[in-house]
Amino acid sequence: MAQEKLRVIIGGAGIAGLASFLALKKLPNIEVELYEQAPELKEIGASIAISPNGLRTLEKLGALNALDDEVAFRGPSAIPMIYRHWKTNEIILEDHFVDVPDPRHRTARFHRGHLHAALLEHVPRHLIHLNKRIKSASASPEKVQLEFTDGTSAEGDVLIGADGIHSKVRASFVPDHRLYATGKVYMRSTFDASLVENIPDLPLDSSHWWGPTANFFASRLGKNQYTTVGNFDSPVDSNGNPKNIQWNDEGDVELFRKLFQDWNPVVTALVDATPYTRYYPNYAGDPLPTWVFESRVTLVGDAAHTHGGAFAAGGALAIDDAYALYLAFKHVFSSKNGTKGSAKDIETALKLYDRTRRPHAERLLNIVLQGINRKPAATDLDDAAVQRIKNKPDTTWLSEHDVEKAFADVVRQGTVDEPSLTRANL
Ligand SMILES: Cc1cc2nc3c(=O)[nH]c(=O)nc-3n(C[C@H](O)[C@H](O)[C@H](O)COP(=O)(O)OP(=O)(O)OC[C@H]3O[C@@H](n4cnc5c(N)ncnc54)[C@H](O)[C@@H]3O)c2cc1C
């Protein structure tokens, strides 16, 4: 007789959704399907960085193609980021790896579409249902349900909301959660690296120039692409959105050039070479009090931690979320002899996941929320730029996080209502 499988439905097929698919498919007796609003899966987005934690986890997930130098760019000096003065181009600070012996785990920069495509290679297309825009999500003691705007729905035993920062799954269970526009709007572009190859003194490593109020980032990406990203402060309307700016709208290249026209010659040459830009208004939101809803629903990626891309951590966090889910389900379900387990088993697995990931994400969110609207204290704006760089928090705890250790710690600690979470069960 065929065993009844645990049916997991994932809302959203971005980096978090695909990584969750890869992770859960490592387990026996689970069937996983994805529901994505986009009508087709094409290359959208700009650059995305994956730090060592995310790259190590991609390797464990078997997505070795995503670590390949063809698709992933790593700087020649093995320095994850160089911070420079906006006007003088002088190096003020460098990030350094603390414990990353394998060169393939050094921070890599991708076109988001290329990373997404690398993960997609591991997902049978018939398991991704396109054109399925989630309207709402619900759960009962027996099942979970996604309702789509086309009037159809999907059911399962477990629901994973991977539908990004404006998550409808999150909104269904935490309706009063609000996002704040941070007041920063990013102008981003990716283009062929040949457009910048003749710029004198162009750094070979990924570089961030910090000015008194704005930043400029430039880096080579995999597949011979290049990215430029600059930000500016934008007024926020009474609904908390940046005025007259929509996500992914075509940006004004002349504005981009004007914003950075007084910066050092490398930056001005980079903005001159940038053929187009798109607007990405930045949002952040408060930490959630729980990531487990109705015992059967959870969130991964930007849906769970609305940090607005701070510290370029979103992609790697999403990948580690997926791995923590895998560890939690493996821990609980490996003793269930191939059955789909009980509702309590699902809840226990989701709570383990929550305890592994939520405090980590909350630490980041608190840094992000404290930083919003922080104006330079110094009256000399140039000095403020240098001070901002020098006071930048060390985020090695984020970029070299060990999700397996974090999970093991949670299991070791156990809890009163889950006495089974003991070292013996590891
Ligand atoms: C198109 C796009 C471009 C991006 N570009 C960049 C970038 O250039 N640089 C960067 O650092 N980060 C970018 N991000 C964000 C980055 O991918 C995430 O911060 C990180 O990878 C975590 O991924 P995520 O899967 O949680 O969220 P996302 O990458 O946002 O993925 C969410 C997925 O859910 C889908 N979705 C959203 N709402 C619904 C709905 N109602 N119903 C069904 N499906 C839904 C989206 O179409 C998307 O596929 C981009 C995100 C998107 C969606």
Side-chain angles (χ1 to χ4, degrees):
M1 197 179 74
Q3 295 263 6
E4 212 186 348
K5 293 190 170 186
L6 187 74
R7 179 170 161 73
V8 178
I9 56 174
I10 301 179
I15 306 297
L18 296 184
S20 299
F21 178 94
L22 262 67
L24 293 176
K25 282 310 285 178
K26 285 165 69 73
L27 298 167
N29 224 38
I30 290 194
E31 62 180 34
V32 191
E33 295 194 36
L34 293 131
Y35 295 84
E36 164 60 43
Q37 66 179 359
E40 58 177 316
L41 296 169
K42 56 181 185 182
E43 284 182 8
I44 39 178
S47 59
I48 191 164
I50 303 293
S51 44
N53 59 317
L55 295 168
R56 284 174 179 142
T57 300
L58 282 176
E59 189 174 67
K60 289 178 200 156
L61 290 176
L64 297 178
N65 56 334
L67 272 66
D68 202 289
D69 284 337
E70 155 75 4
V71 72
F73 169 78
R74 298 168 183 86
S77 312
I79 298 171
M81 185 71 90
I82 297 177
Y83 300 87
R84 294 168 176 268
H85 190 276
W86 68 286
K87 189 72 180 172
T88 64
N89 200 23
E90 176 195 359
I91 294 176
I92 311 285
L93 190 74
E94 292 172 350
D95 281 342
H96 288 279
F97 297 117
V98 174
D99 186 15
V100 187
D102 185 338
R104 288 175 322 138
H105 299 155
R106 290 180 190 151
T107 301
R109 293 189 167 83
F110 305 77
H111 185 297
R112 180 185 174 276
H114 298 161
L115 174 62
H116 192 254
L119 298 184
L120 261 184
E121 282 181 32
H122 302 271
V123 186
R125 289 301 171 97
H126 70 278
L127 297 179
I128 307 180
H129 304 276
L130 296 173
N131 248 328
K132 292 291 172 193
R133 184 183 293 267
I134 300 162
K135 190 170 75 178
S136 63
S138 58
S140 69
E142 291 80 34
K143 65 173 186 183
V144 295
Q145 184 165 341
L146 281 175
E147 296 230 358
F148 305 108
T149 52
D150 64 3
T152 61
S153 60
E155 286 183 4
D157 299 306
V158 180
L159 167 61
I160 299 172
D163 51 342
I165 191 162
H166 299 283
S167 169
K168 292 288 186 204
V169 176
R170 186 184 66 236
S172 300
F173 294 97
V174 199
D176 55 353
H177 185 263
R178 292 277 169 272
L179 294 177
Y180 320 103
T182 63
K184 299 273 178 215
V185 174
Y186 289 83
M187 297 181 86
R188 308 198 295 202
S189 188
T190 51
F191 47 85
D192 197 279
S194 63
L195 295 184
V196 297
E197 67 190 8
N198 293 325
I199 293 178
D201 303 324
L202 185 69
L204 297 176
D205 294 289
S206 306
S207 297
H208 223 160
W209 289 265
W210 284 28
T213 56
N215 295 346
F216 187 88
F217 169 70
S219 177
R220 187 178 270 274
L221 308 173
K223 292 200 176 185
N224 211 31
Q225 291 283 296
Y226 201 86
T227 189
T228 54
V229 184
N231 71 302
F232 64 94
D233 291 325
S234 168
V236 174
D237 68 19
S238 54
N239 296 320
N241 295 311
K243 281 189 179 147
N244 305 322
I245 291 174
Q246 294 293 322
W247 189 86
N248 210 27
D249 273 356
E250 180 96 32
D252 179 349
V253 189
E254 288 314 314
L255 168 67
F256 193 50
R257 297 198 174 132
K258 207 165 152 222
L259 285 168
F260 297 98
Q261 67 188 1
D262 296 330
W263 289 43
N264 69 79
V266 175
V267 170
T268 53
L270 282 167
V271 287
D272 285 346
T274 299
Y276 76 94
T277 73
R278 289 192 178 278
Y279 290 125
Y280 291 86
N282 188 243
Y283 291 90
D286 289 323
L288 296 168
T290 177
W291 291 6
V292 183
F293 310 102
E294 307 295 340
S295 308
R296 288 180 178 270
V297 181
T298 194
L299 302 170
V300 287
D302 287 1
H305 32 81
T306 49
H307 69 291
F311 304 111
L317 278 173
I319 293 162
D320 271 355
D321 288 346
Y323 203 72
L325 261 184
Y326 155 75
L327 292 171
F329 274 86
K330 180 168 152 234
H331 180 79
V332 174
F333 282 81
S334 58
S335 60
K336 302 298 161 193
N337 302 323
T339 69
K340 66 186 261 184
S342 66
K344 183 71 189 158
D345 294 328
I346 294 171
E347 183 181 23
T348 303
L350 294 182
K351 281 186 173 173
L352 269 172
Y353 163 68
D354 170 294
R355 283 177 201 159
T356 305
R357 297 300 290 163
R358 197 165 48 80
H360 183 65
E362 194 162 319
R363 183 172 171 189
L364 170 62
L365 278 164
N366 288 335
I367 296 174
V368 172
L369 295 173
Q370 277 165 22
I372 294 179
N373 291 330
R374 188 185 290 155
K375 300 282 181 232
T379 44
D380 176 349
L381 288 181
D382 207 36
D383 182 48
V386 174
Q387 290 312 318
R388 271 195 329 123
I389 298 178
K390 289 190 171 162
N391 294 334
K392 190 187 78 62
D394 178 351
T395 49
T396 310
W397 63 271
L398 195 59
S399 58
E400 297 185 26
H401 181 68
D402 183 345
V403 63
E404 281 197 281
K405 180 178 177 306
F407 178 77
D409 287 346
V410 166
V411 172
R412 196 171 298 118
Q413 284 154 16
T415 64
V416 176
D417 67 319
E418 284 154 15
S420 62
L421 305 181
T422 62
R423 185 188 289 269
N425 283 343
L426 263 174

